[in-house]
């Protein structure tokens, strides 16, 4: 059994008809798995026979008893061409191996966790933004289903210990559940045989989708890998439910990749992204008849403030350029002045870039002095425009004009467009959200909308840092109803896949709650991977009361974070952290480790941030909110202890 990890390069270093295979692993100290480091060069014919045999040669059988095989195969462009789709002896041999014994029912999920958001905005926020791709590793849990095959692409090579950690979370297959000789390591081998991980390195700071599209040899390789000799699948049949492209967010590049591979996209397409912008959200809310904050653009009155965008310098055209948005401080100021003249006088105004990420594209400005004046709109707008330059940005590294290295907010307004909303005050404000999925029409007529989770968002100012599931029962039913209305409106426009709606809830003096819709995220997001991990590990779904119940009727809740930071963890390797989590002699680790039998415990993610930033994400899953909170707090203690132990080891070495 094997996990194939492919590192694709576009150079033509070798004219030889070989593919170099490198098996590399780190030693494990916690789960009795031993890893090997072997190097061997296979000819194409040898590699073909190897995959067709599904790793059952005698020498590999000897190794299987003691090793987990993690294959790192470098495919050079000259060699990849040899995977001729017209030659059945070569084409699809990897897929046939992958689907051995499951010819009639196999499903393939191609995962491209590309962060196809505005590149300038992402680079400004984090120097390791590609690490966020690993939030999509929850897809590996699908490998527990014998009928599913996973092809996972990434910008950075995923640590093999992290892959093993995810697969080790799964319960054994039902066919093995009653086998008293069942070997859990063998179950991981079973799942490894269903996973291929492809590393696509590039020195360019571009989304993963664009990296893949530039690698024509990789596109050909993927086509042959996906191309099925089974279940009647034909390349280009994008309605076939047996093969799908799962992405973090849609984009023009993702659309092209879906077309190139001839498989259907499981999320919204690039030409639908407007509905997930701040302005597009307001338009959908208005059509749904929902309550949302007053602000600008207030359509159709503010139509005259909207304009199309254009590329700057050598910058290529971006999808946001093709939509009419407010694109200057002057237009934004006029829109705000109009709202003030209509009687909107908030404590402050919230300014939002149309395509922000985790709230970091937001800012706020206090205009109360101007609001108290009786100036005409043009004069008022001139004063507001000056005040915008002194806004307080949620991202403390942001400036109005930029600093020569990072782009300024003023330029981002021109590129992405902007809105302004009145700040909603309240005694006890909360920020709940719903997450939903719109199923493709080819499977459900009309594109059925399903609410899959509700949350209380954990915010640092306006910046997302985590979530609690479920949302408060005081308004849970209301936000689910509002979310369904949004989903039906999106489905009517042909949107499919994940979306979420953020709300702002305020309790009034009479005890009732006001709920305002704030924005639509037309993509997977920060609440997707915690819910997916719980759903895949526990089994079950959300019920009409908004609570998640397992297949046997037990309630599950969770608290999740992407941003737990502990300086002590800096320098801690991913494999070291996995060892600590799986250390069965540690009381703290045993207290929080995921328990397959009772479906309770902690699931970690974003391992790549640990070594450089001392940061880790995790989801604490319990049978109720109190248990989830206890697990969360115990995890904080555990990570602190890991940091202490690492630093003690360093001191002993020195």
């Amino acid at each position: 059994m094997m996990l194939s990890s492919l590192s694709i390069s576009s150079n033509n270093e070798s004219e030889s008809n070989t593919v170099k295979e490198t098996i590399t692993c780190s030693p494990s100290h916690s789960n009795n798995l031993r890893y090997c480091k072997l190097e061997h060069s296979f000819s194409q014919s040898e590699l073909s026979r190897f995959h067709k045999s599904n790793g059952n040669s005698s020498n590999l059988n000897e190794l299987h008893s003691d090793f987990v095989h993690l294959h790192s195969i470098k495919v050079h462009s000259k060699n990849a061409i040899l995977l001729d789709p017209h030659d059945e002896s070569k084409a699809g041999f990897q897929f046939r191996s992958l689907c051995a014994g499951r010819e009639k029912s196999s499903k393939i999920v191609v995962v491209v966790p590309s962060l196809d958001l505005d590149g300038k905005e992402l680079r400004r926020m984090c120097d390791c933004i590609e690490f966020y791709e690993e939030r999509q590793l929850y897809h590996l849990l699908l490998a527990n289903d014998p009928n599913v095959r996973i092809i996972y692409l990434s910008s950075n090579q995923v640590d093999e210990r992290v892959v093993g950690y995810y697969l080790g979370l799964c319960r054994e297959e039902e066919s093995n559940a009653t086998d008293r000789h069942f070997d859990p390591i063998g179950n991981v081998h079973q799942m490894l045989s269903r996973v291929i991980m492809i590393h696509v390195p590039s020195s360019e700071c571009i989304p993963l989708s664009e990296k893949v599209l530039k690698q024509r040899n990789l596109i050909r390789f993927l086509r042959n890998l996906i191309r099925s000799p089974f279940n009647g699948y034909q390349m280009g049949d994008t309605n076939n439910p047996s093969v799908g492209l799962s992405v973090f967010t849609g984009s023009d590049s993702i659309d092209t990749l879906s077309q190139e591979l001839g498989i259907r996209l499981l999320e919204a397409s690039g030409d639908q992204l407007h509905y997930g912008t701040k302005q597009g959200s307001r338009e959908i809310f208005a059509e749904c008849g929902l309550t949302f904050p007053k602000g600008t653009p207030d359509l159709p009155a503010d139509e005259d403030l909207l304009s199309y965008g254009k590329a700057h310098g050598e910058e290529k055209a971006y999808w946001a350029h093709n939509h009419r948005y407010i694109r200057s401080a002057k237009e934004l100021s006029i829109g705000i002045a109009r709202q003030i003249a209509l009687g909107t006088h908030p404590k402050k105004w919230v300014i939002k870039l149309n395509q922000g990420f985790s709230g970091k594209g937001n800012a706020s400005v206090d205009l109360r002095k101007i609001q108290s004046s009786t100036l005409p709109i043009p004069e008022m707008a001139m004063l507001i425009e000056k005040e915008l330059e002194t806004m307080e940005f949620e991202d403390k590294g942001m400036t109005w004009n930029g600093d020569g290295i990072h782009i300024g907010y003023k330029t981002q307004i021109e590129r992405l467009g902007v809105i302004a909303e009145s700040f909603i005050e309240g005694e006890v404000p909360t920020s709940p959200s719903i997450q939903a999925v719109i199923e493709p029409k080819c499977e459900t007529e009309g594109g059925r909308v399903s609410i899959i989770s509700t949350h209380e968002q954990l915010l640092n100012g306006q910046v997302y840092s985590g979530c609690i599931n479920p949302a408060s029962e005081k308004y849970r039913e209301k936000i689910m109803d509002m979310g369904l209305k949004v989903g039906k409106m999106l489905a009517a426009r042909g949107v499919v896949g994940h979306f979420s709606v953020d709300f702002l809830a305020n309790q009034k003096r009479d005890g009732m709650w006001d709920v305002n819709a704030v924005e639509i995220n037309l993509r997977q997001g920060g609440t997707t991977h915690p819910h997916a991990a719980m759903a895949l590990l526990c089994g079950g779904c959300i019920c009409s009361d908004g609570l998640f119940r397992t297949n046997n009727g037990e309630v599950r809740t969770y608290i999740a974070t992407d941003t737990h930071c502990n300086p002590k963890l800096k320098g801690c390797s991913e494999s070291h952290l996995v060892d600590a989590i799986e250390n069965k002699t540690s009381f703290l680790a045993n207290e929080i480790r995921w328990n397959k039998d009772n479906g309770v415990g902690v699931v970690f993610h974003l391992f790549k941030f640990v070594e450089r930033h001392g940061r880790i994400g995790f989801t604490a899953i319990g049978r109720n909110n109190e248990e989830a909170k206890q697990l969360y707090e115990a995890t904080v203690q555990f990570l602190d202890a890991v940091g202490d132990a690492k630093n003690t080891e360093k001191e002993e070495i020195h």
Side-chain angles (χ1 to χ4, degrees):
M1 305 301 174
M2 63 198 140
L3 163 70
S4 299
S5 175
L6 307 173
S7 180
I8 306 295
S9 61
S10 59
N11 60 57
N12 297 326
E13 298 171 356
S14 173
E15 298 293 329
S16 63
N17 194 20
T18 63
V19 176
K20 187 176 182 180
E21 178 186 87
T22 307
I23 306 176
T24 59
C25 300
S26 304
S28 168
H29 304 291
S30 60
N31 54 11
N32 296 322
L33 293 181
R34 287 185 291 161
Y35 295 87
C36 60
K37 182 174 183 180
L38 303 173
E39 290 192 0
H40 181 66
S41 291
F42 293 100
S43 68
Q44 284 288 345
S45 59
E46 287 173 332
L47 186 59
S48 176
R49 287 195 299 272
F50 169 75
H51 282 283
K52 283 181 178 178
S53 70
N54 205 21
N56 288 327
S57 62
S58 59
N59 62 324
L60 285 176
N61 270 334
E62 293 173 5
L63 289 171
H64 280 168
S65 61
D66 294 316
F67 298 96
V68 172
H69 300 283
L70 300 163
H71 297 249
S72 176
I73 305 172
K74 286 192 175 182
V75 181
H76 298 287
S77 57
K78 290 284 186 180
N79 303 65
I81 295 173
L82 295 174
L83 297 176
D84 185 355
H86 302 294
D87 184 348
E88 285 297 326
S89 67
K90 297 173 182 174
F93 63 80
Q94 295 209 9
F95 177 82
R96 284 194 288 274
S97 171
L98 214 57
C99 291
R102 300 289 174 182
E103 300 185 1
K104 299 301 181 183
S105 57
S106 291
K107 294 182 183 294
I108 307 173
V109 181
V110 181
V111 185
V112 182
S114 183
L115 295 169
D116 285 62
L117 304 173
D118 176 53
K120 294 183 183 295
E121 192 68 9
L122 290 174
R123 286 192 293 275
R124 179 180 59 76
M125 293 186 298
C126 181
D127 62 345
C128 304
I129 197 64
E130 291 175 341
F131 291 179
Y132 275 103
E133 291 177 4
E134 292 200 2
R135 293 202 299 192
Q136 305 299 99
L137 285 173
Y138 72 81
H139 286 86
L140 296 180
L141 302 177
L142 292 168
N144 200 40
D145 184 341
N147 297 319
V148 175
R149 302 296 181 266
I150 310 297
I151 302 172
Y152 189 101
L153 289 81
S154 61
S155 297
N156 293 285
Q157 189 159 341
V158 181
D159 191 288
E160 56 266 21
R161 296 300 315 285
V162 173
V163 175
Y165 166 75
Y166 275 96
L167 297 182
L169 296 171
C170 298
R171 291 178 62 87
E172 59 268 23
E173 297 173 16
E174 290 186 11
S175 60
N176 294 321
T178 58
D179 183 357
R180 63 188 180 90
H181 299 296
F182 173 73
D183 176 11
I185 296 176
N187 191 53
V188 172
H189 284 151
Q190 294 270 349
M191 289 184 284
L192 285 173
S193 70
R194 302 170 194 140
V195 176
I196 285 184
M197 303 199 74
I198 302 178
H199 170 214
V200 190
S202 172
S203 60
E204 293 186 87
C205 192
I206 56 177
L208 175 60
S209 59
E210 295 181 26
K211 296 175 186 176
V212 174
L213 288 171
K214 287 189 173 187
Q215 301 274 3
R216 302 312 302 173
N217 60 314
L218 175 55
I219 294 293
R220 287 189 290 269
F221 184 84
L222 288 171
R223 284 175 180 162
N224 286 312
L225 200 59
I226 296 165
R227 185 168 172 263
S228 170
F230 315 124
N231 33 352
Y233 176 69
Q234 299 293 324
M235 289 296 293
D237 181 8
T238 55
N239 287 327
N240 191 309
S242 65
V243 186
L245 177 61
S246 180
V247 298
F248 173 72
T249 181
S251 69
D252 294 340
S253 295
I254 290 292
D255 289 349
T256 302
L257 182 58
S258 173
Q259 294 163 8
E260 291 266 1
L261 297 180
I263 59 178
R264 68 171 180 166
L265 178 60
L266 302 179
E267 302 293 343
S269 62
D271 59 3
Q272 297 167 331
L273 293 181
H274 168 68
Y275 303 126
T277 64
K278 306 301 186 285
Q279 179 179 314
S281 298
R282 293 175 61 83
E283 294 169 10
I284 293 291
F285 296 154
E287 290 189 54
C288 291
L290 304 184
T291 303
F292 58 99
K294 293 182 179 180
T296 184
D298 182 15
L299 302 177
D302 290 340
E303 282 281 355
D304 61 314
L305 303 179
L306 309 184
S307 61
Y308 292 104
K310 60 181 179 180
H312 291 259
E314 297 181 359
E315 178 188 25
K316 72 174 186 177
Y318 188 57
W319 68 266
H321 298 154
N322 300 323
H323 293 274
R324 298 180 68 243
Y325 297 133
I326 290 178
R327 294 185 181 274
S328 73
K330 180 179 179 180
E331 292 163 341
L332 178 62
S333 300
I334 293 171
I336 295 173
R338 288 174 180 175
Q339 288 296 307
I340 293 173
L342 291 172
T344 303
H345 296 166
K347 180 180 178 181
K348 61 182 177 180
W349 288 84
V350 180
I351 314 300
K352 301 179 179 180
L353 295 176
N354 255 320
Q355 191 186 52
F357 183 71
S358 295
K360 291 190 175 182
N362 296 357
S364 59
V365 60
D366 185 346
L367 300 176
R368 281 178 290 182
K369 288 183 180 179
I370 297 174
Q371 289 169 182
S372 63
S373 71
T374 56
L375 291 171
I377 289 176
E379 285 83 348
M380 190 187 301
M382 291 176 64
L383 294 176
I384 293 172
E385 188 172 355
K386 291 181 181 179
E387 289 296 320
L388 291 179
E389 298 183 19
T390 64
M391 287 191 299
E392 182 179 350
F393 301 104
E394 288 298 320
D395 182 349
K396 302 309 176 185
M398 172 63 84
T399 60
W400 179 252
N401 290 312
D403 57 10
I405 299 175
H406 297 108
I407 196 167
Y409 202 87
K410 180 181 178 181
T411 303
Q412 286 297 70
I413 288 176
E414 297 172 8
R415 295 182 65 254
L416 304 177
V418 69
I419 70 165
E421 291 181 335
S422 59
F423 177 75
I424 298 177
E425 299 179 67
E427 299 258 337
V428 190
T430 63
S431 183
S433 69
I434 64 95
Q435 183 178 198
V437 170
I438 305 172
E439 298 179 28
K441 290 184 179 181
C442 65
E443 292 181 354
T444 56
E445 292 185 12
R448 188 180 69 184
V449 181
S450 301
I451 304 293
I452 61 174
S453 61
T454 68
H455 303 90
E456 296 290 343
Q457 297 186 94
L458 302 175
L459 304 178
N460 180 8
Q462 298 177 42
V463 177
Y464 176 86
S465 62
C467 63
I468 300 173
N469 166 269
S472 171
E473 61 182 1
K474 297 173 182 177
Y475 42 71
R476 190 189 307 147
E477 183 179 350
K478 184 171 185 177
I479 64 174
M480 289 173 67
D481 180 62
M482 295 171 76
L484 280 174
K485 289 179 180 178
V486 170
K488 290 176 181 178
M489 189 67 69
L490 293 171
R493 287 163 169 70
V495 174
V496 300
H498 288 83
F499 74 92
S500 62
V501 183
D502 296 341
F503 301 92
L504 191 62
N506 278 295
Q507 189 171 22
K508 298 185 293 184
R509 291 181 180 177
D510 61 3
M512 301 299 289
W513 287 80
D514 272 335
V515 179
N516 280 265
V518 177
E519 63 188 49
I520 299 168
N521 294 301
L522 200 59
R523 53 176 169 78
Q524 298 188 33
T527 60
T528 303
H529 52 285
H531 169 265
M534 180 179 70
L536 290 170
L537 291 173
C538 297
C541 64
I542 193 172
C543 298
S544 58
D545 60 0
L547 294 177
F548 182 94
R549 288 182 173 83
T550 64
N551 295 329
N552 60 8
E554 293 184 358
V555 171
R556 289 293 182 275
T557 70
Y558 55 81
I559 303 176
T561 179
D562 285 346
T563 57
H564 177 73
C565 292
N566 186 330
K568 298 176 186 177
L569 291 172
K570 285 187 179 180
C572 178
S573 69
E574 298 170 68
S575 59
H576 182 92
L577 182 54
V578 173
D579 283 344
I581 295 167
E582 296 181 347
N583 182 3
K584 292 183 172 58
T585 65
S586 165
F587 171 79
L588 288 173
N590 291 336
E591 189 177 20
I592 67 167
R593 189 183 306 109
W594 178 252
N595 189 314
K596 303 177 189 180
D597 296 324
N598 61 22
V600 169
V602 175
V603 178
F604 290 85
H605 59 271
L606 291 179
F607 284 84
K608 271 210 170 9
F609 279 102
V610 172
E611 188 163 10
R612 192 181 300 187
H613 295 278
R615 172 180 160 188
I616 187 69
F618 59 88
T619 303
I621 303 172
R623 284 163 284 217
N624 50 57
N625 288 338
E626 186 59 32
E627 185 175 31
K629 182 180 179 181
Q630 290 171 357
L631 284 165
Y632 186 97
E633 293 172 349
T635 304
V636 172
Q637 287 184 305
F638 163 76
L639 291 169
D640 195 58
V642 172
D644 285 337
K646 176 187 68 66
N647 292 321
T648 299
E649 289 174 7
K650 282 186 177 180
E651 290 174 6
E652 290 175 352
I653 291 173
H654 293 294

